[in-house]
């Protein structure tokens, strides 16, 4: 995998806003996309290209989402892919386009295309960090991570980058994330690995409950490591790889939450004792999206009544609040649906004054559990989104 | 109906925080309550009392919600009802308790009970305004309305008061609302009138999507007007009364939105062309709860991409974004899922710069429509909820 970034002047002059990622011809590629019915032109096109061709390039831009741009948006994305294919000597369908930035404006296709020769000339294997920088929008930090591990004495690497800070409630992945490994993995196995990891990482984070139109997460396996193809037939190696993919996705997903727009707190919401997996998620997301819970977190106010009220309105069928327990980190705040007798408010305030803490709700009626990660709701979230046009 | 208010020192000294409402023995009473599974002690008790007795008093306090208080909370509410019944010479089950304010703290029962004799002594027919003042919490204005109309030459009056500004996403009514009419209406008919009106008024407003634990709306019919009992057998009179009840509920519901915590805009969200009523509501609430749409409204930013993204993630099955149209007031912004060709951004900015405007989304695939009312998301919402303990 080789990467390059360039300044195409898509939204601002002299800002790195274009990323090119070249795949070795022997690579396999798995991807998941937003489930938003209002998906962007590049998402539509990337899905179509992936269905029929083996990709050679990922072509990414920030500054403009090319969403809500109708058929012209599709034509624009096609024109950029075609120009890259022409320069690089591959088919246009072997280019997957990804865009992030403002919705509802047309891509500056000429400037975009004009930056491609320079980007091609700059491709290099150690280009991950500038690429992570170039895909940022409201992100305050670039997000990347690498894991190295041994499979039967052979070193294997997984590297990933991601962007995302607002409009974060992935119904797939969060905004854009690109991962690559030198492990040899065939496409269907790779897709399974990615889907399983995303379900428990990128799909378990939320900043504001707003799902982007452009979400995409791609996992590339180059096969450069001198190993036989990895699949479920070798359960131990498969599990090891799955754990590492999961770990890279979790690192990136949590990095997105930590960089959540206006976030001052990193909050883990854990729901256990639920009657079903769906119930876990309903309750956990209701807590994580409650503006009242989020502002209480911002204020370090252990306002457990708001948490209990969110649980109560979540719609979990036949829920008996009298069985509910709430812990803030290790402190039991609510037991049997009311204030725990030996709980003192200073304890809750101390937990919520930290930059990171866990809200754990046990529903007391089953064995299912889930965990997700979210932020508080601060003045800065309002400022950022009142000033910035997504 | 006679009312009184008093200062019981429930949360703050010298603040009117207790309201007593006396019903004539011939009155009928209809009520709807929160559907939050975590409902407060007074809600549980009021439901139980209503099921077996005809109420003589509503006993309301602000400053403390008596929610999340377990069995002691129930005992406390019972003790207050019992004391009033003793003083007034009725049964404790003829008193309906209502509370609003901070969650998770115990009622100061002794101070509460000590204020009851004075409240009883002060009961008067024109006590609506001080009562509306006394039930406020974060409300910045008292909310009340009166409608007078003639039925076959006989004047009939409906008066109502309400409180509510935050934790507003009624799954019934919004916080507390008390309505009374001198029209003669039997209980089952009255309950039907109230339920129908609430469904299209209090149940169509949202500030932050958080459903209160203490919501209740009560409609009293004293029967003092010299008319035969009103029911569906006289369709014309029934319809007239239904319209007036609806109008009073709508006035109060919209007053709650206008006074929404931190609100700088009053926004009507209309969804039409939907395949079902449920689809209308899903799409409309997704728009109304989107932090990105709400901050764009605060900024007077006609960021239609955020509206379209909210429609796209709402979960309406098989939605074709290519059929979606969006109007801001009369201005067509999106047609066929993309920017309307003759739309200019100044038009959208002018609409959203107003204190009141309508976001109208047509899904282009059915005949169902719904309307709801909401607010923007401002710095002040965060400030109020970071500082105030619900």
């Amino acid at each position: 995998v080789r990467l390059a970034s360039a300044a195409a002047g898509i939204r601002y002059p002299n800002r790195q806003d274009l990323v090119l990622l070249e795949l070795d011809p022997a690579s396999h590629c798995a991807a998941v996309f937003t489930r938003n019915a209002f998906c962007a032109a590049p998402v539509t096109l990337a899905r179509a290209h992936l269905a029929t061709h083996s990709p050679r390039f990922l072509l990414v831009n920030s500054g403009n989402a090319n969403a809500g741009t109708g058929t012209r948006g599709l034509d624009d994305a096609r024109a950029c892919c075609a120009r890259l294919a022409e320069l690089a000597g591959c088919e246009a369908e072997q280019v997957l386009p990804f865009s992030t930035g403002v919705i509802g404006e047309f891509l500056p296709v000429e400037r975009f295309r004009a930056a491609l020769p320079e980007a091609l000339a700059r491709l290099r294997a150690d280009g991950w960090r500038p690429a992570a920088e170039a895909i940022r929008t409201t992100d305050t930090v670039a997000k990347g991570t690498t894991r190295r591990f041994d499979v039967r004495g052979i070193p294997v690497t997984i590297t990933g980058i991601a962007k995302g800070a607002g409009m974060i409630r992935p119904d797939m992945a969060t905004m854009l994330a690109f991962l690559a490994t030198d492990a040899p993995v065939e496409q269907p196995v790779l897709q399974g690995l990615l889907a399983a990891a995303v379900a428990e990482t990128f799909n378990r984070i939320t900043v504001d409950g707003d799902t982007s139109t452009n979400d995409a997460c791609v996992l590339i396996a180059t096969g450069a490591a001198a190993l036989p193809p990895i699949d479920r037939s070798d359960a131990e190696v498969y599990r090891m790889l799955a754990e590492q993919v999961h770990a890279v996705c979790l690192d990136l997903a949590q990095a997105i939450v930590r960089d959540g727009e206006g976030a001052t707190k990193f909050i883990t919401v854990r729901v256990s004792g639920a009657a079903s997996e769906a119930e876990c998620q309903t309750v956990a997301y209701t807590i994580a999206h409650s503006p009242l819970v989020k502002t209480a977190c911002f204020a370090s106010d252990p306002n457990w009544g708001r948490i209990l009220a969110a649980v109560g309105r979540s719609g979990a069928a036949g829920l008996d609040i009298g069985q509910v327990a709430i812990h803030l980190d290790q402190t039991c705040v609510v037991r049997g649906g009311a204030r725990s007798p030996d709980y003192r408010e200073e304890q809750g305030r101390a937990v919520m004054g930290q930059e990171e803490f866990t809200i754990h709700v046990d529903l007391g009626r089953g064995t299912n559990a889930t965990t997700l990660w979210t932020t508080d709701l601060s003045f800065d979230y309002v400022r950022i989104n009142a000033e910035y046009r997504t």
Side-chain angles (χ1 to χ4, degrees), chain A:
Chain A
V1 173
R2 295 193 307 155
L3 302 97
S5 62
I10 286 171
R11 189 170 158 94
Y12 303 105
N14 303 318
R15 185 196 180 290
Q16 300 286 308
D17 53 14
L18 192 148
V19 169
L20 202 56
L21 195 153
E22 182 193 26
L23 286 71
D24 187 83
S27 296
H28 294 290
C29 184
V32 282
F33 295 95
T34 181
R35 289 184 198 144
N36 195 316
F38 168 46
C39 68
V43 169
T44 304
L45 208 59
R47 277 198 184 114
H49 287 185
L50 256 183
T52 56
H53 287 71
S54 192
R56 290 296 315 284
F57 289 97
L58 311 187
L59 178 55
V60 192
N61 74 276
S62 59
N64 186 314
N66 193 10
T69 46
T71 51
R72 176 166 157 195
L74 277 171
D75 290 343
D76 289 349
R78 263 194 215 100
C80 295
C81 293
R83 179 65 182 144
L84 176 62
E86 190 185 345
L87 292 165
C90 68
E91 293 182 63
E93 289 80 4
Q94 293 184 296
V95 180
L96 303 185
F98 302 87
S99 298
T100 180
V102 65
I103 295 175
E105 298 187 4
F106 294 115
L107 272 185
V109 176
E110 286 317 308
R111 291 203 297 277
F112 194 118
R113 286 162 57 114
L116 292 174
E118 187 193 340
L120 267 174
R122 284 199 193 169
L123 284 167
R124 41 189 270 196
D126 61 350
W128 286 98
R129 172 161 288 279
E133 293 284 347
I135 59 176
R136 289 166 51 188
T137 52
T138 58
D139 306 61
T140 65
V141 294
K143 301 166 183 77
T145 189
T146 292
R147 296 253 167 174
R148 290 188 186 84
F149 56 105
D150 275 9
V151 176
R152 308 206 192 288
I154 307 288
V156 175
T157 302
I158 303 182
T159 298
I161 58 173
K163 66 82 54 181
M167 207 181 245
I168 299 297
R169 189 230 179 133
D171 209 347
M172 182 300 302
T174 294
M175 306 300 284
L176 302 179
F178 304 103
L179 288 70
T181 177
D182 52 1
V185 194
E186 301 286 326
Q187 209 284 332
V189 179
L190 198 65
Q191 186 71 35
L193 282 169
L194 180 63
V198 162
E200 297 191 343
T201 57
F202 289 112
N203 276 3
R204 290 289 177 278
I205 64 174
T206 182
V207 170
D208 47 18
D210 275 309
T211 307
S212 163
T213 50
N214 292 54
D215 291 345
C217 177
V218 177
L219 171 61
I220 296 156
T222 65
L227 285 164
I230 297 173
D231 59 28
R232 285 181 183 277
S233 67
D234 187 337
E236 190 195 341
V237 171
Y238 180 85
R239 190 181 49 75
M240 188 187 298
L241 179 62
E243 281 175 9
Q244 298 291 335
V245 172
H246 181 277
V248 169
C249 287
L250 189 63
D251 275 359
L252 294 173
Q254 293 192 346
I256 286 171
V257 174
R258 284 177 208 282
D259 196 26
E261 287 174 352
T264 73
K265 305 277 170 76
F266 177 83
I267 304 156
T268 301
V269 178
R270 179 160 178 78
V271 174
S272 62
S276 70
E277 171 63 23
E279 184 172 283
C280 289
Q281 290 194 38
T282 300
V283 173
Y285 273 115
T286 304
I287 295 167
H289 289 149
S290 161
L292 291 176
V293 172
K294 289 171 102 76
T295 48
C297 289
F298 174 52
S300 303
D301 176 8
N303 195 327
W304 53 268
R306 293 185 183 175
I307 301 170
L308 212 45
V311 174
R313 75 170 164 90
S314 66
L319 185 67
D320 176 6
I321 284 286
Q323 299 302 312
V324 173
I326 299 177
H327 284 74
L328 297 173
D329 280 355
Q330 303 310 313
T331 303
C332 181
V333 176
V334 169
R335 192 188 300 276
R339 177 196 282 255
S340 177
D342 48 356
Y343 166 68
R344 286 169 301 110
E345 173 132 334
E346 308 85 80
Q347 296 174 294
R349 196 168 290 279
V351 172
M352 291 185 68
Q354 304 170 107
E355 284 185 12
E356 301 193 10
F357 58 86
T358 297
I359 298 172
H360 176 194
V361 174
D362 190 278
L363 302 180
R365 62 180 196 156
T367 56
N368 292 275
T370 199
T371 301
L372 59 83
W373 299 274
T374 191
T375 61
D376 55 343
L377 172 59
S378 70
F379 293 114
D380 273 356
Y381 180 87
V382 176
R383 184 185 54 74
I384 291 164
N385 284 295
E387 288 176 1
Y388 174 77
R389 171 163 291 198
T390 316

